[in-house]
Each structure stands twice: as C-alpha cells, then as structure tokens.
Amino acid sequence: MSQINETDPIGASLLYGRSVFEAYTSDQFSSDASYRRFARNNLKSLGLMNPVESHAMLYDTIMLPESEVSVEDRTHGCPQPIAEIGIDKLGLCWIDPEALREHFELSYFTEMGLGEAFARPFLCDPFYGLAIVPVGGRWVHASFTLDWLPRRKAVIGDQILAYLRDPSRILGDGAEAARLFWSDLVDDPGRTALAQATPAELRIDSMDQLRDLAIALKQKLALTNGNSKVWFRGQVSEYLTLDRSAAFAQGCLPYANVRDASLVTSLYRNAGQIGGERAAYRKFLIDIMAWESAAETVFGPAWVDVPLYGDFPEAEFGDGLEFSSTQVAYDKNGNVVGGRTRHTTFAKSAWQRGLLLQQYGCPTPFLDVTSSIDIAHWFATHKFEGAGSSPLYSDHSWGGDDLNRWPTIYCFILAPRFHPIVESTRLNSDDVSTRVLRQHCGLLGGGGLLARNYAARYIGLKLRLHPSLAGQSKIAIEDLFPAADTDLVYRELLKISKIGTGNQFPLYGI
C-alpha cells in the first residue's frame, strides 16, 4: 500500500486534471460545445476509461444535445418512424462526429463501407452500443462494442455469421451459454426461438433449494477445468429496459422485440449528469476525480507478476501495458535459479480503482457480482437506504404471486479469457480491503456511455425468490461491511474529506 498522508491526499497522476477543473469556472467558456471539448480532452489525458470496451466506454461528452443538431442533419439521420415516436421516448441520443473522431479508430467502419456514415451527427442506442446510420438508402446498425465481437467469435467459431444475422441472439450470450452448460435446467423444447435467446427463469421456494441449485450450477462447469465460473448478482427488484416495441414493429430497432433486464451500471443510471448543465457537470467531474485520486493513493500503481520473462496476461486485464522489469536470481556458478517479470499496467490500475470506487460509494462503469449465492441472497433481500443512512441496509419483505415482482438473483457463466470479468482477489493488493474479501466480489466490465446495458447480455439464468426467503439470511451487515478497525481501506478513505459529505458520491459504510 502507498504511503497515506493525514491531510487530504490527492494522487499525483490525477492532480493536474483536478486542478484544471478547479481553476476554471464553467462561465469562462464561450459555449457548451467548447466546455464539452475541454472536459473531454482532460478526461482523455487522465485515462478515465473502461479498460475492456475501450471504444464504447468513454466518460466524456460524446453525446450531442438535439438543440445543436441542425434540422437538415436531423432529417438525414433519423428514420421517420423514430421521429414520429420521439427519440427521447426510445432512449436514443445524437452523437457528435467530431468527438467520435477524437477517440475512435474508424478503420473498422471504413472497411465495412460505413466511413461516410459518420461524417454527420447520427443516432445511437446508448444501451447497447449500436449506431443507427443511413447507408445507401437503408438503415444500418453498427456496433461500437468492437472488443466484444472477437471474444464472441473465439467462443462460437464458424457460427459467428449466423449469430450476427439474428439480432435477438446478439444480445443473448448468457442465454446461449446456459443452454450449453445447464441444458437440463433451462432447455425447454417448447420455448420459441425468441424465448431461447432470453434467460430462463426458475422459481426458488427455499434456502435449501437455492443452495443446492448453486452447487449444481457450479458442478456443471467442471468440464471447463476452472476456466469458466458461476457469478451471481442479487437485486431487491428487477428493472427493465424501455418498452420499444413500437419501434420494433416499425422495423427500426430489430433487436427491441424483448424488454431486457436493465443492468445499467451506477455511473450511467443518471446519464443526464454527463454533459448536462455546465456547473453540475463540473461538480460531477471533480467529485469523480476525487474518488479516482483516493483510489490511486490507497492502492498505488498496479502490477502483474509473472514467471521469468512471462507475457502480460492481456486476455484478463486488457491492454494498457506501461512498462516491464525483470529480476533474475543466479547461483554462485552464474546459473539462473529464479526470478520474475513485473508488468506495470494502466489497465489493471483502472480495474483496481474501479473495485475500490464500486465497493465504497462512487459510481463506476463496472457491475459488481459475487461468487457466493448466500451473499447474492443477502443483497436480494436487503434494501440500500443510502450513504449516511442508519441503517445502511434494511430488511426487505414482499408478497404476491407475480414472480416478476419478486427479488431476483442473476446467474452468469463467465471466463476471463472471453468475458470482461476480473475476480477481486486479482486486484485486492495484500488483501487490504476486508469488505471486498467478505463479499467475494468480482467486477464485470463493459458498461459505458455508449453501451450502458452491456452486462445484461451475459445473464444466463434468473432466480425468482419466493416471499418465504425473506429474513432467512444468517449474515450480519457487519460481516459484509466491516468497521474501520478491521478494513484498512475503509479506515484510510475516512481520512479523505474530499470523498466525504461534500462529495455527491459520499463514502459509505457502518
């Protein structure tokens, strides 16, 4: 762990960007556009991006307010049925082509013959990372989640073309994985092709049933030799995406025939703050930077140690290798007897900071999941009351026969080689965060400004919890949120006032 100062430490690597935002007031810029460009450039220099889907996962204001889109461009870039329904009602947004070119390598789209489509403002579905662009008299849906595609191709091989021709399957990775590994649980020949592209649901009536099922789910992955693992996420309520069936019926959004579960990550649930009114946006940026600084101070630079001359595990942590150093041990005869190569990496640093921010109070582009079914059950049956509230969580009870209103545990089949998942034990330096250890957590990446509901594509199974499962957990809140005398990270974060009550995302614990 890095040295912690007693007075509001700010990580040196983030100090410049933070100072810039504190030095300039929002009224010093001639227009909203100039302020967005200023914010965008500073955030880019700080590296505040998701390390998994680097193209789609920007913190910056790549979205363009409709008021800044000319009538001519709106007519050119918006299908008539969408215009009639309203882009706001469909959750769509305009993208600034200038901002796109500052961050995005367009060669992929050029190869597809779509390069010219991005010369003018265009519509985007920010929940799935899909651009809606006019090409040769037709509308094309082009994906910003470029890093996802080669990973998916590695899994299904020659089936990739048929897969890409079916919009429902494209957003159903988890459902397909569940049918492969858990076929006796989820495979129903009577289900339609569309239903098979969506996660199956199981009713859970007792804790014994829940635990036995979790064991069975894990056992069925034994044939992967540990390369795939079951992860869980418990929620008091299931939230759904917008009902966009009208646009689907008009042929505009061919993948909107299903209302998916909404797993929009915490940073993007209130995306209106991003690029919104300038004073509020400035406050938003500074508060996020304060958290990033705190995480940098607590964890310090991240590295990955591998055997002597070993390669950096890019498949697990993404790119962003900064530098490498090698230490070699020799015996008295000059023979190599040991050693290791240490890779220092921006990517792991981003994951590591994301772990701390996600677990202690700051919104991130990551989704937290757990390897423990008991902990998933706890979060599904306890309501978060808010930072600074007493109690921090309260017991949740429910009733009725509508399974869709029951608490839900999502089940994922994830492998670091193919999916944006990192286990907390790979990030938690020297086990300093007891909270992270107690919650057996992992981070599922991919969520971002242009792909906010990215994680939902990996849901394999939904477990609906019967009302009898309320109050059945034996876990105390102190077990999951240990006090400062037990949790070193929490103790050090409490010393940093800039992530306290003045921050719109205050540190929380008990």
Side-chain angles (χ1 to χ4, degrees):
M1 175 178 284
S2 301
Q3 181 66 36
I4 303 293
N5 299 321
E6 292 297 323
T7 57
D8 286 351
I10 296 295
S13 66
L14 297 178
L15 180 60
Y16 171 74
R18 181 179 171 81
S19 298
V20 167
F21 273 97
E22 290 181 330
Y24 288 90
T25 60
S26 59
D27 58 6
Q28 290 179 277
F29 295 87
S30 59
S31 67
D32 289 337
S34 65
Y35 186 72
R36 285 199 304 274
R37 189 172 298 109
F38 166 75
R40 185 163 60 239
N41 291 339
N42 277 277
L43 289 168
K44 182 179 180 182
S45 70
L46 291 173
L48 298 183
M49 298 181 185
N50 185 303
V52 181
E53 291 287 355
S54 55
H55 298 98
M57 309 310 134
L58 307 177
Y59 274 77
D60 71 335
T61 51
I62 199 168
M63 295 184 297
L64 189 64
E66 188 167 12
S67 60
E68 296 183 20
V69 181
S70 70
V71 174
E72 180 183 356
D73 283 339
R74 271 181 270 170
T75 302
H76 173 267
C78 183
Q80 185 60 31
I82 287 180
E84 293 174 356
I85 298 171
I87 65 171
D88 290 338
K89 291 183 179 179
L90 295 173
L92 306 179
C93 66
W94 289 98
I95 297 296
D96 181 349
E98 179 183 349
L100 181 76
R101 281 173 167 74
E102 287 186 26
H103 296 283
F104 206 100
E105 175 54 57
L106 288 177
S107 59
Y108 169 81
F109 293 119
T110 302
E111 291 171 6
M112 294 176 61
L114 303 179
E116 290 301 315
F118 299 100
R120 303 168 72 167
F122 59 90
L123 284 177
C124 175
D125 182 349
F127 295 97
Y128 295 107
L130 293 170
I132 305 170
V133 293
V135 178
R138 62 192 179 95
W139 294 95
V140 174
H141 293 78
S143 176
F144 284 106
T145 54
L146 305 186
D147 300 308
W148 157 80
L149 188 57
R151 289 197 298 266
R152 187 63 185 143
K153 185 176 181 180
V155 174
I156 64 176
D158 294 339
Q159 301 177 53
I160 190 69
L161 293 179
Y163 179 86
L164 293 175
R165 284 194 290 267
D166 186 340
S168 298
R169 293 182 69 193
I170 288 175
L171 301 176
D173 289 28
E176 294 209 14
R179 286 203 312 275
L180 175 63
F181 291 105
W182 300 332
S183 58
D184 57 331
L185 295 172
V186 304
D187 195 15
D188 180 359
R191 297 179 83 203
T192 64
L194 174 59
Q196 290 180 7
T198 61
E201 300 183 15
L202 295 179
R203 169 176 167 152
I204 304 298
D205 293 306
S206 69
M207 287 300 297
D208 286 342
Q209 181 192 1
L210 181 65
R211 290 173 179 141
D212 289 345
L213 176 63
I215 292 172
L217 295 178
K218 294 177 181 180
Q219 288 176 340
K220 292 177 185 299
L221 294 183
L223 58 88
T224 70
N225 296 318
N227 291 322
S228 294
K229 183 174 178 178
V230 184
W231 291 91
F232 307 102
R233 176 178 173 82
Q235 294 188 180
V236 170
S237 300
E238 178 174 54
Y239 303 97
L240 298 177
T241 55
L242 293 171
D243 183 353
R244 303 194 285 188
S245 55
F248 170 76
Q250 295 285 344
C252 297
L253 303 178
Y255 51 87
N257 47 348
V258 172
R259 290 187 71 185
D260 289 326
S262 176
L263 294 186
V264 177
T265 57
S266 55
L267 185 61
Y268 301 107
R269 287 175 196 152
N270 297 302
Q273 296 182 78
I274 304 173
E277 192 272 324
R278 274 191 265 172
Y281 184 46
R282 179 173 178 271
K283 166 73 171 164
F284 169 84
L285 294 173
I286 290 176
D287 287 348
I288 291 284
M289 287 182 187
W291 269 97
E292 292 271 358
S293 313
E296 177 93 352
T297 303
V298 170
F299 276 136
W303 61 79
V304 179
D305 285 342
V306 299
L308 190 62
Y309 306 117
D311 293 329
F312 173 66
E314 184 173 316
E316 180 177 3
F317 291 113
D319 56 12
L321 185 63
E322 185 177 2
F323 61 85
S324 302
S325 63
T326 299
Q327 293 182 351
V328 183
Y330 301 89
D331 63 16
K332 62 181 180 181
N333 297 318
N335 299 312
V336 176
V337 294
R340 58 111 176 107
T341 297
R342 171 163 290 178
H343 300 287
T344 303
T345 162
F346 291 122
K348 186 179 179 183
S349 293
W351 281 103
Q352 200 171 66
R353 291 195 301 269
L355 177 71
L356 184 147
L357 270 60
Q358 181 70 22
Q359 294 301 318
Y360 289 88
C362 185
T364 74
F366 302 101
L367 193 77
D368 50 329
V369 292
T370 178
S371 58
S372 166
I373 192 65
D374 287 292
I375 291 173
H377 167 263
W378 192 93
F379 280 102
T381 56
H382 290 79
K383 293 188 295 185
F384 179 61
E385 299 295 348
S389 299
S390 182
L392 184 64
Y393 280 84
S394 62
D395 292 338
H396 175 58
S397 60
W398 64 99
D401 298 324
D402 186 354
L403 273 65
N404 294 320
R405 296 184 179 275
W406 292 1
T408 300
I409 295 178
Y410 300 108
C411 306
F412 307 84
I413 300 173
L414 301 171
R417 181 181 176 188
F418 300 118
H419 304 116
I421 181 71
V422 173
E423 192 163 358
S424 60
T425 54
R426 300 284 285 145
L427 302 170
N428 190 15
S429 302
D430 301 319
D431 295 339
V432 293
S433 173
T434 312
R435 182 181 300 188
V436 165
L437 289 175
R438 298 273 183 87
Q439 295 184 19
H440 299 274
C441 68
L443 287 183
L444 178 55
L449 190 60
L450 297 186
R452 299 173 197 171
N453 202 34
Y454 184 90
R457 70 181 64 198
Y458 295 122
I459 299 173
L461 184 62
K462 298 180 183 180
L463 309 182
R464 305 293 194 183
L465 306 187
H466 186 271
S468 63
L469 273 77
Q472 294 297 303
S473 178
K474 304 300 182 184
I475 300 173
I477 189 171
E478 294 81 8
D479 297 329
L480 300 181
F481 296 90
D485 59 349
T486 303
D487 188 334
L488 179 57
V489 166
Y490 186 39
R491 181 164 73 245
E492 299 301 338
L493 291 176
L494 284 169
K495 299 176 182 178
I496 305 175
S497 65
K498 291 185 183 296
I499 60 171
T501 54
N503 193 299
Q504 63 185 297
F505 312 115
L507 171 69
Y508 71 84
I510 59 173

